């Protein structure tokens, strides 16, 4: 696809500086872009690369740098880049139909595409324009909304529900049993049946290798617009509010409730039965060991604190040895003074 800058601005807004008929066919970084490429500047620390880029045009926040051939000015260049990149890189088309090797016992819309070696269980309902990649397993009574796409080797257990326009990457498991066991007096374990579902809203993306456990009694619920990175563990009966995003290797224990529009950094851990308010940002590697009742940024491990408090405390932590030496010296001086008196 080849686009002119004036076509892009007509669709997404912004201000053109330079030639509006400049044509671009792909997006690349400032450092690697060449003629015909559209670059973007979202992080000010790369602004010096504007002087040497070979891009045909640049998406950037105002003001434009003198000497650029052409630019699109917008207050949110990274968001603008994402929208243009979607336009230039649409999802690959799929042909409706069911592969001869697939086993389909449920109801599949005529416009859906079902790949090789897929199993669709009894009572399952697959919506219009759904794409199901090779080797997927779709359990009994599963619902998948219109326009959702499943990459190869995805497993959706019985009775779970996937909303519209979701994107689920390879290796995802939705609806496996939660980790529920009761302990006998002799230390052995008795399994608690996991009879709930996983209910996933619209426009959700789930990264490769992520697992979302079904509820023990009620449902595990993933709200509209949630974005989950690779290799995330979501325990049973967890509830994640709309438009929350989580980076890779996050672990969420059972029955935690996470609000809307939160962000959770990579490898953070959220303990079970906690509540996190809307608009909370949890830094990477943070251990959330108690509920967070108000919006803000939180960091740390033992214990986690509001971000500013953690930074102040950690700055003192680095000087613990020095402080300990000073305390010992003061104690010795005090002891000497007490002997003299």
């Amino acid at each position: 696809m080849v686009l002119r800058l004036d076509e892009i601005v007509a669709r997404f807004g912004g201000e053109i500086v330079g030639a509006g008929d400049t044509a671009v066919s792909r997006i690349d970084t400032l450092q690697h872009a060449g003629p015909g490429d559209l670059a973007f500047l979202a992080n000010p620390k790369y602004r010096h690369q504007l002087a040497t880029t070979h891009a045909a045009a640049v998406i950037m926040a105002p003001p434009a740098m003198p000497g650029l051939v052409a630019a699109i000015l917008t207050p949110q260049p990274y968001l603008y880049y994402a929208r243009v990149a979607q336009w230039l890189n649409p999802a690959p088309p799929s042909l409706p139909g069911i592969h001869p090797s697939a086993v389909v016992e449920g109801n599949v819309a005529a416009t859906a595409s079902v790949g090789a070696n897929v199993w669709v269980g009894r009572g399952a309902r697959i919506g219009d324009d759904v794409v199901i990649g090779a080797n997927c397993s779709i359990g009994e009574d599963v619902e998948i909304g219109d326009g959702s796409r499943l990459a190869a080797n995805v497993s959706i257990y019985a009775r779970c529900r996937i909303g519209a326009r979701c994107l689920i990457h390879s290796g995802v498991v939705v609806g496996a049993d939660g980790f529920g066991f009761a302990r006998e007096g002799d230390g052995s374990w008795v399994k608690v049946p996991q009879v709930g579902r996983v209910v996933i809203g619209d426009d959700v993306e789930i990264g490769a290798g992520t697992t979302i456990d079904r509820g023990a009694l009620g449902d595990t619920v993933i709200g509209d617009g949630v974005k989950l990175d690779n290799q995330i563990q979501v325990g049973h009966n967890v509830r994640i509010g709309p438009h929350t995003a989580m980076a890779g290797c996050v672990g969420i224990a059972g029955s935690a409730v996470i609000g809307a529009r939160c962000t959770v950094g990579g490898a953070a851990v959220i303990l079970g039965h906690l509540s996190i308010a809307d608009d909370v940002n949890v830094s990477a590697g943070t251990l959330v060991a108690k509920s967070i009742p108000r919006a803000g940024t939180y960091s740390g491990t033992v214990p986690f604190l509001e971000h500013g408090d953690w930074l102040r405390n950690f700055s003192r932590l680095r000087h613990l040895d020095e402080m300990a030496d000073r305390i010992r010296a003061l104690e010795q001086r005090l002891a000497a003074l007490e002997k003299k008196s």
Side-chain angles (χ1 to χ4, degrees):
M1 184 183 297
V2 177
L3 300 172
R4 298 193 316 271
L5 296 191
D6 52 11
E7 293 177 305
I8 296 172
V9 169
R11 182 161 182 162
F12 300 119
E15 176 189 351
I16 297 175
V17 174
D21 60 353
T22 300
V24 295
S25 58
R26 67 171 192 162
I27 293 184
D28 208 336
T29 63
L30 286 167
Q31 184 178 5
H32 297 109
D37 291 344
L38 178 61
F40 67 98
L41 174 65
N43 190 328
K45 75 177 185 179
Y46 297 114
R47 189 175 180 86
H48 68 279
Q49 294 182 358
L50 289 171
T52 56
T53 186
H54 298 291
V58 178
I59 301 167
M60 60 184 296
M65 180 176 176
L68 283 179
V69 176
I72 296 175
L73 302 185
T74 173
Q76 295 181 291
Y78 191 70
L79 176 61
Y80 201 101
Y81 145 70
R83 289 172 172 159
V84 177
Q86 284 188 353
W87 195 12
L88 285 170
N89 299 278
S94 59
L95 295 176
I98 298 171
H99 193 276
S101 64
V103 176
V104 176
E105 303 175 54
N107 181 31
V108 176
T111 55
S113 174
V114 177
N117 301 314
V118 168
W119 172 62
V120 179
R122 290 189 304 273
R125 293 175 293 282
I126 310 301
D128 288 324
D129 302 310
V130 169
V131 176
I132 300 178
N135 305 311
C136 287
S137 174
I138 311 300
E140 296 180 354
D141 298 315
V142 165
E143 296 181 32
I144 301 179
D146 297 347
S148 288
R149 302 176 72 94
L150 279 62
N153 301 302
V154 171
S155 295
I156 311 294
Y157 281 43
R159 300 184 295 108
C160 293
R161 191 175 77 197
I162 311 296
R165 300 174 303 279
C166 293
L167 177 57
I168 302 179
H169 292 278
S170 292
V172 166
V173 178
V174 173
D177 281 357
F179 194 66
F181 298 90
R183 199 159 204 175
E184 292 274 20
D186 63 0
S188 61
W189 297 98
V190 177
K191 183 176 179 63
V192 176
Q194 306 290 291
V195 298
R197 305 175 298 167
V198 175
V199 177
I200 294 174
D202 299 336
D203 302 299
V204 171
E205 182 163 349
I206 304 173
T210 287
T211 58
I212 304 175
D213 292 346
R214 69 193 312 110
L217 292 173
D219 296 330
T220 301
V221 179
I222 311 297
D224 292 346
V226 167
K227 309 301 180 187
L228 302 179
D229 197 2
N230 301 336
Q231 297 178 340
I232 289 173
Q233 159 65 13
V234 180
H236 57 187
N237 296 102
V238 166
R239 302 179 74 89
I240 301 176
H243 307 296
T244 284
M246 300 185 180
C249 299
V250 167
I252 310 169
S255 299
V257 178
I258 299 167
R261 300 175 304 278
C262 296
T263 62
V264 182
V269 174
I270 299 170
L271 300 189
H273 301 273
L274 303 181
S275 295
I276 295 178
D278 297 342
D279 301 302
V280 164
N281 305 304
V282 176
S283 299
T286 295
L287 170 63
V288 180
K290 61 181 180 180
S291 293
I292 300 176
R294 60 185 181 274
T297 299
Y298 296 83
S299 304
T301 50
V302 185
F304 82 102
L305 300 166
E306 288 190 353
H307 188 64
D309 290 342
W310 170 258
L311 290 177
R312 283 190 293 273
N313 281 296
F314 188 75
S315 67
R316 297 185 180 100
L317 189 66
R318 289 180 298 178
H319 302 291
L320 278 181
D321 284 341
E322 178 187 343
M323 291 170 65
D325 291 339
R326 291 174 64 186
I327 290 170
R328 280 193 294 269
L330 289 170
E331 288 175 338
Q332 289 169 1
R333 290 175 61 188
L334 181 59
L337 289 172
E338 289 175 344
K339 285 182 181 178
K340 288 180 179 178
S341 62

